[in-house]
């Protein structure tokens, strides 16, 4: 049974203006505050949402669903706020945190966006639960589902994300979404110790595009918010994966396997929403796009 305590809240707003790392988006959308997955490298642990949490509980021991999330989004949609919005859902929680199975807040928000489509929507998750909503997602014109797959090694995954779904399930999730006609992205973020050739081969088959990030570029603080995870890498004997530039060799392997047009890097890669409006990028036409 989950030890996470649930603190429902009435939120004042559901769309938050972006800045900083997610500058390619106009808003983030977080149906939940807090997250049940408890990844050891989660940079949100070091942010005010955790440091100032009123429950005084460790990260992932609490979650606060915004019970009026759908209503708030409906109101925003009626005021035309979605028409020009480029939305990242979510940056400090997972929209398919296990509680979503029963609360359906993300699902409700997707239904609103089906009737009032934003200019672009990225759904960022690590949960196969997202496939439950594939029919709703497929109704939104400029959408991509981005699934976090930071390694191909299940033992590494268990060290850093003990409460998260298996890697095999995530690969299967991308395949199901793609078969449903939904654009897919694999977020290799943060890159963890892996066999990059094998991971690139696995993702080539199921992701239209891949974004690779590392602990130094991706935490928005030059690695300072990732200090605990970097220490964990060293304690586990992954010294060479704990230094700046450790992702460079993997990036080259991915580019050579998928083609540069299908591989985004860190901040620039996450903020490139232009490809959403160009139609799916398939393996067979990637070489044409590169030229
Ligand atoms: S799923 Fe995302 S928000 Fe949740 S703990 Fe993991 S990294 Fe943090």
């Amino acid at each position: 049974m989950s030890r996470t305590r649930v603190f429902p809240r009435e939120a004042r707003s559901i769309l938050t203006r972006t800045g900083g790392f997610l500058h390619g988006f106009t808003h983030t959308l977080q149906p939940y505050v807090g997250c049940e997955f408890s990844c050891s490298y989660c940079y949100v642990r070091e942010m005010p949402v955790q440091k100032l949490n009123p429950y005084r509980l460790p990260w992932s021991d609490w979650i606060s669903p915004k019970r009026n999330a759908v209503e708030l989004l409906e109101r925003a949609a009626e005021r035309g706020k979605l028409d020009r919005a480029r939305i990242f859902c979510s940056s400090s929680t997972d929209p398919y945190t296990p509680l979503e199975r029963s609360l359906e807040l993300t699902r409700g928000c997707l239904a609103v966006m089906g009737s009032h489509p934003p200019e672009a929507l990225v759904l960022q998750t690590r949960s196969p639960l997202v496939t439950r909503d594939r029919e709703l997602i497929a109704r939104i014109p400029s959408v991509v589902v981005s699934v976090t797959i930071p390694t191909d090694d299940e033992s590494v995954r268990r060290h850093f994300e003990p409460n998260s779904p298996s890697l095999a399930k995530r690969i299967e999730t991308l395949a199901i979404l793609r078969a449903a006609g939904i654009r897919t992205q694999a977020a290799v973020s943060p890159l963890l110790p892996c066999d990059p050739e094998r991971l690139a081969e696995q993702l080539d088959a199921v992701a239209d595009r891949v974004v690779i990030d590392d602990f130094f570029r991706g935490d928005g603080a030059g690695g300072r918010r990732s200090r605990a995870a970097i220490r964990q890498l060293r304690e586990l004997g992954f010294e060479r994966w704990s230094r700046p530039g450790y992702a460079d060799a993997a990036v080259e392997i991915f580019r050579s396997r998928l083609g540069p047009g299908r591989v985004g890097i860190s901040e620039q890669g996450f903020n490139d929403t232009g490809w959403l409006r160009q139609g799916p990028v398939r393996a067979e036409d990637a070489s044409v796009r590169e030229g």
Side-chain angles (χ1 to χ4, degrees):
M1 199 158 91
S2 169
R3 63 174 186 206
T4 306
R5 292 176 61 192
V6 182
F7 301 95
R9 67 171 70 184
E10 292 294 309
R12 282 199 301 260
S13 66
I14 187 67
L15 293 172
T16 307
R17 286 211 163 269
T18 52
F21 193 88
L22 289 173
H23 52 77
F25 298 83
T26 59
H27 298 84
T28 59
L29 193 166
Q30 333 269 355
Y32 301 86
V33 184
C35 180
E36 294 164 275
F37 283 133
S38 190
C39 311
S40 69
Y41 54 75
C42 181
Y43 60 79
V44 187
R45 293 169 185 275
E46 300 301 323
M47 297 176 74
V49 64
Q50 168 57 19
K51 296 261 187 206
L52 306 178
N53 87 76
Y55 321 111
R56 297 172 185 265
L57 289 169
W59 181 242
S60 289
D61 281 8
W62 62 275
I63 187 162
S64 180
K66 297 179 182 173
R67 57 182 158 211
N68 56 343
V70 181
E71 267 170 68
L72 287 171
L73 195 63
E74 268 166 359
R75 260 188 264 150
E78 279 156 17
R79 293 203 301 270
K81 299 242 173 195
L82 296 188
D83 303 348
R84 306 281 303 277
R86 294 189 304 282
I87 299 172
F88 192 91
C89 175
S90 301
S91 59
S92 57
T93 185
D94 189 310
Y96 289 95
T97 198
L99 201 55
E100 168 62 18
R101 187 175 296 282
S102 55
L103 295 191
E104 300 192 355
L105 296 176
T106 300
R107 183 175 170 79
C109 290
L110 289 171
V112 174
M113 289 189 273
S115 314
H116 303 274
E119 194 175 296
L121 171 67
V122 172
L123 267 179
Q124 176 67 53
T125 184
R126 67 194 62 227
S127 172
L129 181 57
V130 65
T131 61
R132 177 197 68 185
D133 295 341
R134 59 190 182 276
E135 286 179 19
L136 286 172
I137 296 167
R139 280 185 218 152
I140 302 170
S142 291
V143 64
V144 61
V145 178
S146 180
V147 177
T148 306
I149 305 184
T151 176
D152 64 331
D153 186 328
E154 215 22 51
S155 67
V156 171
R157 196 275 301 162
R158 279 194 291 270
H159 279 301
F160 291 87
E161 309 177 356
N163 298 341
S164 292
S166 73
L167 299 164
K169 282 272 179 208
R170 299 187 215 178
I171 300 264
E172 186 188 14
T173 296
L174 284 169
I176 292 170
L177 294 167
R178 209 179 194 203
I182 295 165
R183 296 175 187 87
T184 56
Q185 174 172 283
V188 183
S189 171
L191 177 71
L192 293 176
C194 66
D195 174 344
E197 264 118 12
R198 182 165 175 264
L199 183 57
E201 186 184 339
Q202 289 176 339
L203 298 183
D204 187 14
V206 291
D208 290 315
R209 181 174 187 265
V210 170
V211 181
I212 303 175
D213 210 346
D214 62 43
F215 287 112
F216 299 91
R217 286 178 281 202
D219 73 349
R224 286 192 300 284
R225 291 187 185 130
S226 302
R227 276 192 284 237
I230 291 168
R231 202 164 46 242
Q232 188 183 4
L233 279 166
R234 291 180 181 150
E235 284 164 5
L236 290 167
F238 295 119
E239 176 69 34
R240 108 180 147 80
W241 297 83
S242 71
R243 293 192 292 263
Y246 77 91
D248 295 352
V251 166
E252 286 318 309
I253 289 166
F254 270 79
R255 281 183 170 150
S256 136
R257 168 90 204 193
L258 282 76
R262 291 173 63 207
V263 181
I265 312 297
S266 192
E267 185 170 340
Q268 197 184 359
F270 274 108
N271 283 291
D272 179 4
T273 55
W275 69 284
L276 288 180
R277 296 183 285 277
Q278 295 164 7
V281 182
R282 299 297 180 197
E284 55 273 21
D285 62 19
S287 57
V288 176
R289 284 174 189 277
E290 285 153 31

